[in-house]
Every structure is written in C-alpha cells, then in structure tokens.
C-alpha cells in the first residue's frame, strides 16, 4: 500500500494550499476530497436533483463523470467535458457539497473511489474524514484548524481576488453554519482522528505550517524526496 498523509480540518484552515505544497514537495499524488463533494452538488443542480433526494444523489454519485486536470491556476474540474472549476469553488458549490455530504449513503458510495487515489509513490489526502474514515492506517494524520474569524478572512480575500461579490459577516456566518453541519452530522463528522497531530494556523503563515508538516514527515521517515 502506498504511503498516505492525511490533512483534515474545517473549511478555510489552509488544507488545500498545504496539501498541494506537501504533495509537490514529495512528488506524491493529491486527493482533494472536498472537490468530489462539491462537484457532486453541482452535478445534482445541473440534473435538477435536490441535495436531499438521497436515492437520486447516490445514483449520480455512482457514475459521476468527473475528471481533475492540472490547469494554470491549480486543478481544473471537468464534469462530463464541461469545465465546472468556478462553479465548484463558488459559495453555492460549498453549500451543495456540505448538503450532499451529510448523507451516509452518499459517503459510503464515494468511499471506495476515494481509496483508489492511493498509489505509489504516495498520496496526500485533503478533507474532513481522511484520517478518521477513508485512510485510517495513514502514516501521518494532520488536523489543521484556525479560528472561524481567521478562516472567514482568508476566504474573503480569496473571493475578492476572484471579483466575487462578498460580504464578510455573511461569509463568517456561512463558515460557522458549515462547521456546525460538518461537525454535528452522524456520518463521519468533522473531528480529529485519535492519532492526528493538531496544528492551529490562526497565527501562522503558510510557510510556518508547511515547515511544521514537513518536520513531521521527516521525523517519521516518510519525507524521502522522490523528485528533483
Ligand atoms: O474541503 P472543501 O471546503 O472543498 O469541502 C466542501 C464540503 O465538502 C465540506 O464543507 C464538507 O461538508 C464536505 N466534505 C466532507 N468530507 C470530505 C471533504 C469535504 O464531508 N472528506
């Protein structure tokens, strides 16, 4: 089995950025599991399926025609040939993802598929339940968190850069509502795996967090760089 590093945590904690940098550093594959839930929410919308219509959502999840391709600004997400990168990253994409992700039937449908991403030389898996449920035997589990205010502020800046029309108090409220929905659901709730190392990034820069994660990788002897 390929070595696995799991980076879990709430939205806006910096998991995506850190996971990408760690994967790049090690020359490993990357699984952005949030993108899978996001694209599922978008696919439901485009098929006029309500996010709470469990059998219909499961049917879409079973044959989701999604592809992830490297683009100039990170991964491009293609749904049946249509580029849905912007839609999956929008606030409605976030709401759809967390609405479909509450259903245990949907999560178990996506479980085996997520596990197929584990391949040599290794996988960095970014999500909510990577360490607790999807890859319980992972070599390293990091739970990356930050205060809701710091996370809302980071998201605010990101959306401003993309010229999206945003309002900070509404964003903070959305983040808190999503945290509550992700933490209080019965299926794979957002919580650190028992053996996860918790890193609070509220007062840390991306470089600080990366340094901490790479130190853990090296400590555990899984930091053998495979690319130049
Ligand atoms: O990580 P990201 O913000 O893209 O995730 C979007 C939503 O997908 C989360 O709010 C969460 O509800 C859901 N999700 C999940 N389990 C994962 C990854 C994401 O439930 N492993």
């Amino acid at each position: 089995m390929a070595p696995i590093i799991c980076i879990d945590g709430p939205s806006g904690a910096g998991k995506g950025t850190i996971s990408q940098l760690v994967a790049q550093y090690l020359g490993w594959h990357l699984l952005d599991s949030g993108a899978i839930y996001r694209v599922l929410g978008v696919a439901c919308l485009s098929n006029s399926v309500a996010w709470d219509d469990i059998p219909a959502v499961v049917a879409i999840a079973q044959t989701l025609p999604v592809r992830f391709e490297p683009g100039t600004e990170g991964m491009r997400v293609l749904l049946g040939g249509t580029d849905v990168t912007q839609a999956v990253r929008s606030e409605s994409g976030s709401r759809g993802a967390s609405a479909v992700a509450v259903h245990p039937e949907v999560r178990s449908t996506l479980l085996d598929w997520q596990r197929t991403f584990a391949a040599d030389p290794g996988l960095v898996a970014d999500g909510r339940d990577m360490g607790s449920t999807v890859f319980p035997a992972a070599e390293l589990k990091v739970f990356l968190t930050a205060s809701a205010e710091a996370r809302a502020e980071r998201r605010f800046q990101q959306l401003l850069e993309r010229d999206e029309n945003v309002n900070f108090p509404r964003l903070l409220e959305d983040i808190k509502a999503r945290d509550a929905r992700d933490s209080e659901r019965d299926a794979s709730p957002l919580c650190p795996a028992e053996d996860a190392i918790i890193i609070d990034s509220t007062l840390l820069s991306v470089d600080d967090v990366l340094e901490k994660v790479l130190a853990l990788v090296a400590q555990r002897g899984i930091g053998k760089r495979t690319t130049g």
Side-chain angles (χ1 to χ4, degrees):
M1 175 90 171
I4 297 171
I5 297 173
C6 298
I7 305 193
D8 288 302
S11 35
K15 298 179 308 294
T17 307
I18 296 297
S19 301
Q20 248 178 40
L21 291 170
V22 173
Q24 235 167 42
Y25 178 86
L26 295 170
W28 284 12
H29 302 280
L30 177 66
L31 167 62
D32 174 0
S33 60
I36 292 179
Y37 289 96
R38 285 169 182 271
V39 80
L40 178 58
V42 169
C44 290
L45 276 184
S46 56
N47 284 283
S48 307
V49 162
W51 293 328
D52 59 359
D53 181 347
I54 301 174
V57 177
V58 166
I60 293 185
Q62 277 165 342
T63 55
L64 198 62
V66 64
R67 283 203 329 270
F68 298 103
E69 284 183 359
T72 45
E73 290 170 32
M75 278 295 174
R76 284 174 69 217
V77 187
L78 300 163
L79 180 61
T82 307
D83 190 328
V84 292
T85 314
Q86 292 297 338
V88 299
R89 289 286 150 215
S90 68
E91 285 311 291
S92 123
S94 303
R95 276 194 294 276
S98 81
V100 294
V102 295
H103 309 306
E105 298 84 346
V106 171
R107 304 194 73 84
S108 59
T109 304
L110 296 174
L111 198 56
D112 286 343
W113 181 32
Q114 293 179 83
R115 289 183 175 148
T116 64
F117 284 79
D120 284 328
L123 176 73
V124 178
D126 156 359
R128 302 290 184 291
D129 60 342
M130 297 294 101
S132 59
T133 308
V134 183
F135 301 113
E139 274 67 14
L140 172 64
K141 301 175 186 175
V142 170
F143 190 85
L144 186 58
T145 187
S147 71
E149 288 71 17
R151 291 183 284 124
E153 177 60 34
R154 290 173 193 166
R155 185 82 184 129
F156 184 66
Q157 295 303 335
Q158 260 176 11
L159 293 173
L160 275 189
E161 278 165 26
R162 278 192 230 145
D163 281 338
E164 281 201 40
N165 192 7
V166 277
N167 156 308
F168 182 80
R170 164 125 196 264
L171 210 53
L172 180 57
E173 219 153 85
D174 269 8
I175 284 215
K176 287 184 175 166
R178 197 135 66 94
D179 280 359
R181 207 161 42 223
D182 289 351
S183 314
E184 289 160 15
R185 70 181 176 215
D186 292 332
S188 281
L190 169 68
C191 71
E194 258 176 36
D195 48 352
I197 309 285
I198 298 179
I199 299 179
D200 185 332
S201 75
T202 306
L203 301 172
L204 300 180
S205 67
V206 169
D207 285 349
D208 294 336
V209 177
L210 182 62
E211 198 177 302
K212 282 184 187 292
V213 175
L214 293 181
L216 291 165
V217 165
Q219 251 172 40
R220 296 189 184 195
I222 48 176
K224 309 279 183 288
R225 202 168 174 174
T226 53
T227 56

